[in-house]
Amino acid sequence: MGLNSLITLPVAQYVRSFEVAGKYKEMGVEDHAKLGRVSDGGMMVNILVRTVLDRMTKLESFAWNLNIKMLAIVWDALAASKTLRSLTLKCPTERVPAPVHNAPSMPSLKSLTITHIDPLCYPDNFQALLNTSLAIEHLKMQWSPRMRRERETSVNFNAYFGQICASNQKMRLKTIAMQNLYSIGHVGNFLGMYDPAYLETMTAIDATGGADDEGDMVFVTEPPRQLAPMPKLRMLRGNKVSTSHCGRLTKMRPLQEYYLISGRDLKEPDTPSSSRTGSIASPGSQISASHRGSLCDGSKSVGGTPQSNPDTTSSPGSISNPFAAPTPATNATGDAAVTTLGRQYMDSIFRYHGRSLTHLLLLPQWRLSVDDLKQLTSSCICMRELGLGVLNPSFETLQLIVPNMPHLRALRILDPPKERAHTDEVTDGIQTDNEWYEEKISDQTWQSGWDTLRWLGLGSLVFELLGPERSRPRSFSSVSNDSLDDMDADSDQRRRVARRPLSAVKEVAIWKMDQKKIVF
C-alpha cells in the first residue's frame, strides 16, 4: 500500500529519505533459480521500487533492508540520482542463485553502509562503487560472522579495495567501521584505501586479531606496524586487545572517546517499580550506619562469602550482589591473556590520552585498585562518561572517583563476565531489592561532588540521580506536634534516586557503544 501511494499520489517528489524494509515471501524461488531466473515476486518488488525512485527527485537517503536481493534496475535508478547522499544495503542471506551485478559508481555519495556480506549468498560486486565513489566520507561494512566462525577465507580484501589501494587516489573518510572482516589480502591494505589525515572515528569489531583468539584463528590482513599520522582521530572503538594494538595507542594523537566492547548482551533483570520516587524505602528497610559505604549485601563480602563482623546487620531478604568475584571464563587462556594486558593498556591510556578523554569504557576483566583509581582521576580530568570494573565495589571506592571528576555525568561499574545468572530470574524480593539499592544510593550521593552525576550503573542495574530532598520518618503516631520542627531540622539530606530500565540509557554512550554491532 505504501508503494502504491507513492506511485499514484503526487507526494514522491517531496520525499528525502526512503527505506524498504521487512520480509517478502517469494514463491517458487528454488524452481526459478534452477532455470536461471529471478522469481516473479522479487522482480515485481524491484520494479515497483524503481518506479518510486524515478519519482523521488529530491531523494537524499535510501536504505534497502529487504530479505530479497536488490536488482540492477534499482542500482541504475540510484546511480542516476544527483541528490542521493546516503545508501544502506542489506545483502541476501540465503544461498539462492541470483544474478551478480557490478554496483555502479555514485560520485555524489557521502555515506555507504553494506551489511550481511557473504560470498556464498551471491552478493553484488562492489569494487567499482568503492573505488570510484571518492566522495564517500562515512563507510561501514559488515560481513557475515560465518566466515570467521568456520575459518573460511572466501573474502578477498583486494576484491573490494585493491584498485584504490594501488592508485594514488584515496578516500577521504571521516568514519570507517568494519565488522567480521576475515579475509586474505596484502598486509597494510586495511589502511591503504583512505587518507588518514581526514579520519575522525574508527570502529573495528572482530576485524583484527586479539589476545583472546583461539589458536587456529589466523588473520592475514593486518594494519601496518607504523601508523600514518591521524591528526583528526577522536574516537576509537573495538572489542580486541593485543600487545601490538596497545603499542599503537602510544603513537596516536590524544583521543576523546575510547570504547572497548565486552561483547555481552545487556538484559533487563526486572521491571523497576513505578510507585516510588526512589529515595525513601518502606518501613523497616532503613539502612543502618554499619551498612553505609557498601554497594553489595551487607552480610556478604565482594566475593559472596559471609563476613565475620558481628556488628553488621543484613539487608532485606534476597538482595543479590551484582559485583560478585569473577568466575573462570570458557576460554581460560584467552581471558587470562586479556586480563594480563590490562596494566599495559592502563598505562598507555592514562599517559597518552588521559588529559583529552571525555568518554572511556574499559573491559570488565580489568578491575582497578585504589591506586589505579587515583591515577585515573588525576589523569582523566575531563571525563564525562566512564565505565570500568573495580576491585573493591564500595561507596568508599566511588568516593575516589566521582568527587574528583567534576564533569562526570554517567558512571557505570561493570560486573565480571559470566556473572549474569541472577539477572535472568524474577524473585519475590525484586521490589525489596529495588528499594534497598535506591535507599542506599540516595543516602550516599547527596554529598558534595556528586552534583553533576546523573546516571549510575551497578552491573546490569541502572539508577537515575535526581534532585535533593529531605528524608522524614514514615510514621508520626508517636511524635508530638511540638517536636516536628526539631525533627525536620535533624532530618538527613538525601538525593532522590529512581531505578530505571536499560532503555533509559540507550543513548548514553557507555551503554550504547557496549554492543557488538556498528553504531554511531
Side-chain angles (χ1 to χ4, degrees), residues 85-396:
R85 298 292 181 268
S86 176
L87 173 61
T88 299
L89 173 66
K90 177 183 177 181
C91 296
T93 57
E94 298 181 0
R95 298 183 185 181
V96 178
V100 177
H101 309 288
N102 292 320
S105 173
M106 299 183 187
S108 62
L109 200 63
K110 296 291 185 181
S111 176
L112 176 62
T113 301
I114 307 176
T115 64
H116 299 82
I117 306 174
D118 190 331
L120 299 186
C121 295
Y122 300 90
D124 291 328
N125 183 2
F126 303 112
Q127 186 171 21
L129 174 62
L130 293 170
N131 293 319
T132 58
S133 304
L134 298 179
I136 294 178
E137 296 179 348
H138 308 280
L139 178 63
K140 307 156 197 173
M141 299 185 69
Q142 177 209 46
W143 284 264
S144 168
R146 181 188 63 81
M147 289 81 74
R148 176 185 173 90
R149 182 175 60 250
E150 299 177 2
R151 311 297 192 266
E152 177 187 294
T153 55
S154 57
V155 176
N156 191 325
F157 188 88
N158 294 329
Y160 296 92
F161 303 104
Q163 181 179 342
I164 193 171
C165 288
S167 67
N168 294 326
Q169 291 182 318
K170 307 295 180 183
M171 289 183 177
R172 295 183 176 182
L173 295 178
K174 295 181 179 179
T175 300
I176 183 171
M178 298 283 181
Q179 184 173 5
N180 300 325
L181 175 61
Y182 187 79
S183 93
I184 57 176
H186 294 298
V187 175
N189 276 2
F190 181 71
L191 298 179
M193 63 187 184
Y194 64 89
D195 189 342
Y198 296 89
L199 191 65
E200 297 179 4
T201 66
M202 177 186 292
T203 299
I205 304 175
D206 289 334
T208 59
D212 59 340
D213 289 333
E214 298 179 4
D216 58 347
M217 177 68 71
V218 178
F219 285 88
V220 292
T221 298
E222 298 179 354
R225 295 183 179 180
Q226 293 185 354
L227 292 178
M230 293 181 281
K232 295 184 179 180
L233 187 66
R234 59 176 179 81
M235 192 274 279
L236 187 63
R237 178 171 175 258
N239 69 321
K240 294 294 183 180
V241 294
S242 65
T243 303
S244 58
H245 176 265
C246 184
R248 296 186 190 101
L249 278 178
T250 63
K251 298 177 176 60
M252 292 181 178
R253 72 176 298 274
L255 297 170
Q256 296 179 22
E257 302 177 41
Y258 185 37
Y259 305 97
L260 286 173
I261 307 168
S262 63
R264 300 165 300 153
D265 294 330
L266 291 176
K267 297 181 180 180
E268 192 66 58
D270 56 74
T271 303
S273 170
S274 59
S275 62
R276 302 181 69 252
T277 59
S279 63
I280 303 300
S282 56
S285 64
Q286 298 294 329
I287 300 173
S288 63
S290 60
H291 273 165
R292 299 186 180 184
S294 175
L295 291 178
C296 51
D297 188 345
S299 63
K300 295 181 180 180
S301 67
V302 177
T305 57
Q307 293 183 355
S308 58
N309 186 357
D311 296 331
T312 57
T313 306
S314 61
S315 54
S318 58
I319 297 175
S320 55
N321 177 10
F323 303 100
T327 56
T330 304
N331 183 6
T333 303
D335 188 68
V338 170
T339 304
T340 303
L341 284 172
R343 172 53 53 199
Q344 299 180 36
Y345 269 83
M346 291 300 99
D347 293 340
S348 298
I349 292 172
F350 295 160
R351 181 177 179 182
Y352 296 96
H353 304 277
R355 295 293 176 180
S356 61
L357 276 175
T358 60
H359 296 69
L360 178 62
L361 177 64
L362 300 176
L363 293 178
Q365 294 96 321
W366 301 343
R367 305 179 71 75
L368 278 66
S369 65
V370 171
D371 292 337
D372 295 327
L373 294 177
K374 290 180 179 179
Q375 186 180 3
L376 169 67
T377 55
S378 62
S379 302
C380 306
I381 57 177
C382 298
M383 192 67 64
R384 296 179 182 176
E385 298 183 20
L386 176 63
L388 75 168
V390 294
L391 189 61
N392 180 24
S394 66
F395 267 103
E396 285 81 359

Side-chain angles (χ1 to χ4, degrees), residues 264 266-269 295-296 321-323 360-361 364 367 384-390 393-395 397-398 401-402 408-416 420 422-423 437 441 445 450 453-465 497-502 504-505 508 510-511 514:
R264 300 165 300 153
L266 291 176
K267 297 181 180 180
E268 192 66 58
L295 291 178
C296 51
N321 177 10
F323 303 100
L360 178 62
L361 177 64
R367 305 179 71 75
R384 296 179 182 176
E385 298 183 20
L386 176 63
L388 75 168
V390 294
S394 66
F395 267 103
T397 300
L398 296 190
I401 303 175
V402 180
L408 194 65
R409 63 190 181 192
L411 174 62
R412 181 181 171 200
I413 304 300
L414 306 173
D415 57 339
R420 294 186 176 272
H422 69 279
T423 65
Y437 279 114
I441 297 170
T445 57
W450 291 75
L453 189 69
R454 180 183 177 187
W455 298 106
L456 178 61
L458 305 180
S460 58
L461 308 180
V462 176
F463 299 91
E464 183 179 9
L465 279 61
V497 177
R499 169 77 189 283
R500 301 300 189 197
L502 286 172
V505 292
V508 180
I510 53 176
W511 278 276
D514 193 18

Side-chain angles (χ1 to χ4, degrees), residues 73-85:
I73 54 174
V74 178
W75 277 115
D76 293 340
L78 295 175
S81 175
K82 297 181 180 180
T83 60
L84 188 66
R85 298 292 181 268

